[in-house]
């Protein structure tokens, strides 16, 4: 019963974490204030995860003291969920007010049960008694039952009985209905955002770096956190020096390739995160496992010793990926220099890094060129 609700909450969480918090364009489409920037919505979604099992429990066989505690936590969790949904509807500017929720039976019936039994068991208005309730000892395992004395009934005792399953179904319908409304609003925001990224893609094709950087700042700012030099000032400086050395040209090419790749990944992610659960499940079922052949001990296994094992540079590259003091660089860079002693480009770039260890632009453009050169070495000749 809860799986669809959990999936919808996960969709909202993923969109929140990967778009609303990351991109100002998206955050401006919702109710944006200091509270939103504190990421308190993440607390709301976390609370949902912590309490959803309380609401959609399927074991009702409990002794009376346990039943008493279950009923309180069960109804209170539903009440909190309703408040959270109301808050989220406001945050995402769906236009749905609390008054509209009160007119929805999937909201009002469960809320009234909670209010009468848990929220206000003794209810007064301006000092005048309106109603009082107490738990019934006669409730069946799958029921919530209480006795009520109400002014509308001249305070004659009346028994109120509700099936737990009916309360659960009503709450699930409430959650699914309004989570869908929230998701539809988020999908509109994402589609509008993808249209802006399409404009950025078109500018990338034209190759005007100044315009590209400006659009990245406006619509794709978290991309600047990916690369060491992915900021306006260093990129502009590198671009001016493209003709001086291949290291600068290669770094700009890397920036544009990374940007294009990241936009495509973001586009694919939007498609994935907005996919209905049923569609994803059906796609997974259609996938066939590839056949794997295992060699047995009775079979002769041919070992090809003709191709030499390629040199591995991961350790050395990892060590010089962040700028170090000269002695550390001399040590780790020296290890790489020994392995690449016949590659003049790498030797020259290591020397350039050593001489410019405190200059980010020179250091990292050389580092990038070395990485590309070593990556090219790993690829087979065609």
């Amino acid at each position: 019963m809860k799986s669809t609700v959990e999936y919808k909450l996960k969709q909202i969480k993923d969109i929140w974490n990967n778009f609303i918090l990351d991109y100002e364009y998206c955050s401006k489409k919702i109710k944006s204030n200091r509270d939103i920037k504190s990421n308190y919505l993440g607390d709301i979604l976390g609370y949902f995860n912590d309490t959803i099992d309380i609401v959609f429990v399927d074991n009702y066989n409990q002794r009376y003291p346990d039943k008493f505690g279950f009923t309180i936590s069960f109804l209170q969790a539903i009440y909190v969920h309703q408040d959270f949904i109301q808050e989220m509807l406001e945050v995402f500017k769906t236009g749905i007010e609390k008054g509209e929720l009160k007119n929805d039976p999937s909201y009002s019936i469960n809320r009234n049960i909670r209010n009468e039994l848990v929220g206000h068991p003794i209810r007064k208005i301006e000092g005048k008694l309106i109603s009082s309730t107490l738990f019934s000892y006669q409730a069946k395992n799958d029921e919530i039952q209480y006795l009520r004395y109400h002014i509308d009934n001249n305070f004659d005792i009346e028994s109120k009985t509700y099936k737990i399953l009916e309360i659960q179904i009503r709450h699930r319908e409430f959650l699914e209905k309004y989570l869908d409304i929230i998701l539809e609003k988020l999908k509109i925001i994402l589609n509008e955002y993808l249209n802006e990224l399409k404009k950025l893609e078109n500018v990338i094709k034209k190759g005007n770096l100044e315009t590209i950087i400006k659009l990245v700042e406006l619509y794709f700012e978290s991309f600047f956190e990916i690369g060491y030099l992915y900021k306006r000032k260093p990129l502009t400086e590198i671009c001016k020096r493209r003709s001086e050395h291949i290291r600068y040209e290669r770094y700009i090419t890397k920036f544009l390739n990374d940007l294009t790749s990241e936009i495509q990944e973001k586009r694919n992610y939007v498609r994935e995160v907005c996919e209905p659960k049923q569609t994803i499940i059906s796609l997974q079922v259609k996938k066939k496992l590839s056949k794997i052949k295992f060699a047995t001990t009775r079979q002769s296994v041919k070992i090809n010793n003709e191709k030499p094992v390629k040199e591995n540079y991961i350790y050395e590259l990892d060590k010089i990926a962040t700028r170090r003091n000269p002695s550390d660089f001399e040590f780790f860079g020296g290890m790489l220099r020994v392995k690449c002693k016949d590659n003049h480009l790498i030797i020259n770039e290591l020397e350039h890094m050593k001489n410019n260890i405190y200059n980010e632009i020179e250091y990292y453009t050389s580092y990038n060129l070395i990485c590309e050169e070593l990556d090219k070495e790993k690829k087979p000749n065609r």
Side-chain angles (χ1 to χ4, degrees), residues 278-290:
Q278 291 79 5
T279 305
I280 292 177
I281 292 175
S282 64
L283 289 174
Q284 291 174 342
V285 171
K286 289 180 181 179
K287 290 181 179 179
K288 294 183 178 180
L289 291 173
S290 57

Side-chain angles (χ1 to χ4, degrees), residues 3-12 176 179-180 183:
S3 60
T4 303
V5 172
E6 287 179 319
Y7 182 72
K8 294 179 188 300
L9 287 169
K10 182 181 182 303
Q11 286 180 293
I12 293 172
E176 290 184 358
L179 290 175
D180 279 339
L183 282 168

Side-chain angles (χ1 to χ4, degrees), residues 3 16 118 130 143 145 164 176 261 280 304 327 360 367:
S3 60
W16 178 263
V118 178
I130 302 299
E143 293 177 344
Q145 186 180 84
I164 294 174
E176 290 184 358
S261 176
I280 292 177
N304 188 347
S327 60
E360 283 193 338
Y367 177 78

Side-chain angles (χ1 to χ4, degrees), residues 179-234:
L179 290 175
D180 279 339
I181 290 173
I182 292 168
L183 282 168
E184 283 304 311
K185 178 61 184 289
L186 287 172
K187 289 174 184 177
I188 291 173
I189 293 174
L190 292 183
N191 285 327
E192 291 175 350
Y193 178 62
L194 290 183
N195 288 335
E196 299 302 328
L197 291 188
K198 183 63 179 176
K199 297 176 184 177
L200 176 54
E201 287 177 311
N202 292 334
V203 172
I204 292 173
K205 293 176 183 177
K206 296 177 182 178
N208 186 321
L209 190 66
E210 177 61 28
T211 307
I212 292 170
I213 293 173
K214 183 177 180 179
L215 290 180
V216 172
E217 289 174 336
L218 288 174
Y219 304 117
F220 210 47
E221 60 270 32
S222 69
F223 177 73
F224 282 143
E225 300 173 5
I226 293 177
Y228 289 109
L229 303 178
Y230 286 4
K231 297 287 187 294
R232 170 179 286 277
K233 187 175 179 179

Side-chain angles (χ1 to χ4, degrees), residues 65-83:
D66 296 329
K67 181 67 172 293
F68 184 88
F70 160 76
T71 301
I72 293 175
S73 60
F74 172 72
L75 293 176
Q76 189 63 21
I78 288 175
Y79 179 86
V80 173
H81 286 183
Q82 290 179 339
D83 281 359

Side-chain angles (χ1 to χ4, degrees), residues 5 37 57 93 158-159 257 268 289-290 297 308 311 371 381:
V5 172
K37 292 179 181 179
V57 66
K93 293 183 177 180
E158 54 184 328
S159 177
N257 288 341
N268 293 338
L289 291 173
S290 57
T297 55
E311 192 76 72
C371 290
N381 294 328

Side-chain angles (χ1 to χ4, degrees), residues 123-155:
R123 183 179 172 222
K124 292 183 177 181
I125 296 180
E126 296 180 353
K128 183 178 180 181
L129 181 65
I130 302 299
S131 66
S132 65
T133 60
L134 69 158
F135 281 88
S136 169
Y137 290 87
Q138 309 301 321
K140 297 178 182 178
N141 284 331
D142 64 342
E143 293 177 344
I144 290 176
Q145 186 180 84
Y146 59 93
L147 305 179
R148 186 181 77 163
Y149 302 86
H150 200 283
I151 190 173
D152 292 341
N153 197 35
N154 295 320
F155 294 106

